Amino acid sequence: PHGPHSNSLLRARSATRGIEGNHVALRLTPKKPCGTDEVQPNRRIPPRVSRCVGMLQETGWEEHQRRPEFVKIGIIVIGNEVLSGSVEDINSTDWRRGLGSLGAEVERVSIVPDDHGVIRDEVRRFAETFDEVFTTGGVGPTHDDITFEAVAAAFDRPMVHSPEMERVIRDFFKDQVNEAWLSMATMPADTELVWSEGLPFPVTKVGNVWVLPGEPTVMRAKFAGIRERFRQEPIHQAQIWIRSEERRVGKECRSRWS
């Protein structure tokens, strides 16, 4: 807030998390502001602030709870260049926005270096913690593209040759194919190749881990091909704008939902 009369935004989701272990869904869009109470030192919470917060209860939002089977999603961004800040991470931002528009929600994002052991441990931890995991980066033909090897180690699977992926690579590159490109046909055993219309290459999935490239244009195209798999019930937010100090609004919220 900037000054004693700054606008404070109440986000109902942050105030209502934890009710019976689920998340609350609500859309509340008042046509008019709730009020503009002037806040003086040592003054009690303005009545209009209390009334605005009370609007959340009056609309019956407690009855709109997220379903218990809410899918937990984690994202692992892989690359020394991202970790050092020389390359901006826009892939996880795209995913968070894209998944949010589908009613899904990302619970954690991790950025790790091009280190086999670090990637392996992080993938294993995420795979055990989250229902769906996305990795981005480290799946090309260069020496530091070690994501597949690390993912295989995380699931205790060997690296094997995929005849189907080799056919895809040969069909795409034709007479330009070389050993570097063909090396991408070696992947963790039992990797699922997920096809989508319009994609020249399938999306690869190992267990509950979706392994995608780091190049943003390619990543977006592949995510667009699988995004509907993650559609859930919509996530709604309640927003009430009031002219009051945030600390006074917070006190009112705590008195109702602590």
Side-chain angles (χ1 to χ4, degrees), residues 64-240:
H64 299 274
Q65 296 187 24
R66 292 299 307 277
R67 58 188 184 187
E69 64 271 21
F70 177 68
V71 177
K72 298 186 297 182
I73 298 175
I75 296 174
I76 303 175
V77 180
I78 300 168
N80 291 334
E81 65 280 5
V82 179
L83 194 61
S84 67
S86 59
V87 172
E88 183 181 2
D89 167 36
I90 61 176
N91 287 341
S92 68
T93 301
D94 284 349
W95 270 333
R96 294 196 300 273
R97 290 173 178 168
L99 290 166
S101 70
L102 298 172
E105 189 171 24
V106 175
E107 294 199 355
R108 190 179 307 170
V109 177
S110 175
I111 303 177
V112 298
D114 295 309
D115 182 290
H116 182 279
V118 175
I119 300 171
R120 176 201 61 211
D121 294 345
E122 195 74 337
V123 169
R124 181 177 294 159
R125 185 180 302 109
F126 270 53
E128 294 173 350
T129 303
F130 303 106
D131 301 304
E132 302 284 355
V133 179
F134 293 94
T135 73
T136 173
V139 294
T142 58
H143 70 283
D144 60 347
D145 291 319
I146 56 175
T147 297
F148 271 134
E149 289 87 343
V151 171
F155 284 93
D156 296 319
R157 299 184 185 183
M159 292 287 287
V160 299
H161 178 74
S162 170
E164 180 180 358
M165 182 59 82
E166 179 180 344
R167 287 194 298 271
V168 172
I169 294 172
R170 290 187 180 278
D171 289 344
F172 183 82
F173 289 103
K174 300 188 183 303
D175 59 348
Q176 300 297 318
V177 70
N178 55 38
E179 290 303 316
W181 292 119
L182 289 174
S183 68
M184 295 176 63
T186 302
M187 53 188 56
D190 299 321
T191 294
E192 180 182 356
L193 303 181
V194 181
W195 287 97
S196 179
E197 184 177 357
L199 290 180
F201 287 89
V203 180
T204 51
K205 184 182 182 184
V206 184
N208 62 336
V209 178
W210 299 82
V211 184
L212 286 93
E215 204 287 316
T217 302
V218 179
M219 190 284 298
R220 290 190 187 109
K222 290 199 169 189
F223 178 69
I226 61 174
R227 68 191 308 274
E228 286 302 318
R229 292 169 174 259
F230 308 99
R231 184 174 293 280
Q232 301 180 60
E233 295 179 9
I235 294 177
H236 301 295
Q237 290 186 339
Q239 297 182 346
I240 302 176

Side-chain angles (χ1 to χ4, degrees), residues 30-49:
K31 294 183 178 180
K32 298 181 179 179
C34 297
T36 56
D37 276 293
E38 296 296 321
V39 180
Q40 302 298 330
N42 302 318
R43 180 180 172 182
R44 298 180 61 186
I45 298 174
R48 290 183 183 271
V49 174

